Amino acid sequence: VKEWNKESMERGLRQGMQKGATQLLIRMLEKKFGALPQEFVLRLEQADEEQIIGWSERILSAHTLGDVFGH
């Protein structure tokens, strides 16, 4: 039972951190580019941690949403 609780807590923590990173990236994108089309919001919400990190790095030099998402 202790092992299960620890694993559940770690999984919940990872999911919470990823959700927070996603929300932060959405806010940064909206600050830079204005309101996001729904397709980009859905893509962000379905992304894994690696994608979120990559997009977060690209926002620094991006001129368009396409630059961030690789379009």
Side-chain angles (χ1 to χ4, degrees):
V1 174
K2 229 180 209 183
E3 188 74 25
W4 179 83
N5 285 337
K6 183 179 178 185
E7 289 175 17
S8 294
M9 286 176 48
E10 288 174 357
R11 184 174 49 250
L13 181 60
R14 280 193 308 274
Q15 289 173 342
M17 290 176 65
Q18 183 169 339
K19 184 174 182 175
T22 300
Q23 290 174 341
L24 178 59
L25 180 55
I26 289 171
R27 289 187 68 171
M28 292 169 60
L29 289 164
E30 288 175 338
K31 262 303 201 204
K32 188 164 184 169
F33 301 112
L36 297 178
Q38 189 62 26
E39 69 181 271
F40 288 104
V41 174
L42 291 174
R43 191 167 175 189
L44 285 158
E45 290 174 346
Q46 295 172 356
D48 62 28
E49 182 179 0
E50 188 175 316
Q51 289 173 309
I52 296 296
I53 290 170
W55 294 331
S56 296
E57 291 171 348
R58 284 192 227 148
I59 194 174
L60 298 172
S61 60
H63 297 288
T64 66
L65 282 173
D67 292 342
V68 175
F69 292 98
H71 289 153

